[in-house]
Amino acid sequence: MLLVTFEPPAEAPRAGLLSGDSVLDLDVPMREFITRWPEGRDGLADQANKTYPLHGVRLLAPLPDPPSLRDFYAFEQHVTTAHRIRGREVAPEWYEFPVFYFSNHRPIFGPEGAVPRPSYTQALDYELEVAAVIGQTCRDVPPDQAEDVILGFMIYNDWSARDVQRREVRVGLGPAKAKDFAQSFGPWLATTDELADRRTGRPGVYDLLMIARVNGVERSRGNWKDIHYSFGDLISRASDGVTLYPGDVIGSGTVGTGSLLEQTGGQGPWLQPGDVVELEVERLGVLRSTVAGP
């Protein structure tokens, strides 16, 4: 199933089920729909009381108001390259357990959105990631049972202010302000059954190509299957002694090559107003964003 949040003409946004060139109206906000998962999944199509042509509605972020957002650092190629650019070695602890930070879960942008470059940075970067959405309340989840609590996956652009981040990480806390201004999700949330034939045997890991383009030129290419820690590992770590709730978002971290930081050795050029960034993941669609001023 491909789930979307859409806005019909002159009506409030609500959850929908994407079916070809149509959207089946589920007539509830996505957060409310997620709380009914998985009990109501089998009757989804029966819940739809209207159908809209896709070209007649506006797609928003599939989950425009997540209750929380944890972003991990799980692709080894990105980690080692980023550390080398900063003149540092990867900490041995990175290989002992997956690490994450809490990001700002409020400034959420969807597909075709204009994402403002904050005035405090001159080094705006994209980050090509995937994110899991938790579908049920859970705690202390073993890695091999993590797929049972995942509602689905979506593309995630973890926008970064690299000049600010460079200074923050020297303090030993963060990133914080470098990630405070924008998160992009979309264009849809694919339930795990949509990806089942591309499973690798590791929990929440799929053999799916990941590509980033800027102004139509390919800049990044990787594969989800190259992730060092599985989503089973990530969710087990996040839920260790802590309750996760429906709608909580778990980010993968950046796929190898999936940022201008890696492509330019940390020197830029960086994103400028007017640039169009496209993040594409097989089965998850294309998340397209335009950088707005200043």
Side-chain angles (χ1 to χ4, degrees), residues 109-117 123-129 155-160 181-187 211-220 254 257-260 263 269-281 285-292:
F109 295 83
E112 309 298 336
V115 176
R117 184 182 70 173
L124 180 64
D125 199 359
Y126 67 84
E127 295 202 43
L128 173 56
E129 306 190 20
I155 301 173
Y156 172 29
N157 191 341
D158 173 33
W159 301 92
S160 298
F181 55 93
Q183 325 288 336
S184 291
F185 300 147
I211 298 171
R213 303 178 189 88
V214 178
N215 299 327
V217 177
E218 183 175 312
R219 300 301 304 265
S220 306
T254 307
T257 80
S259 65
L260 293 178
Q263 297 298 318
W270 307 103
L271 296 172
Q272 300 297 321
D275 285 345
V276 177
V277 178
E278 294 177 309
L279 304 188
E280 180 176 2
V281 179
V286 177
L287 174 59
R288 185 179 295 104
S289 308
T290 300
V291 179

Side-chain angles (χ1 to χ4, degrees), residues 47 137 165 194 215 221 264 283:
Q47 296 177 35
T137 302
Q165 183 179 9
E194 292 285 337
N215 299 327
R221 178 176 288 256
T264 70
R283 305 290 178 91

Side-chain angles (χ1 to χ4, degrees), residues 81-92:
T81 303
H83 276 71
R84 184 171 63 250
I85 289 169
R86 295 173 181 133
R88 302 184 306 183
E89 297 293 327
V90 178

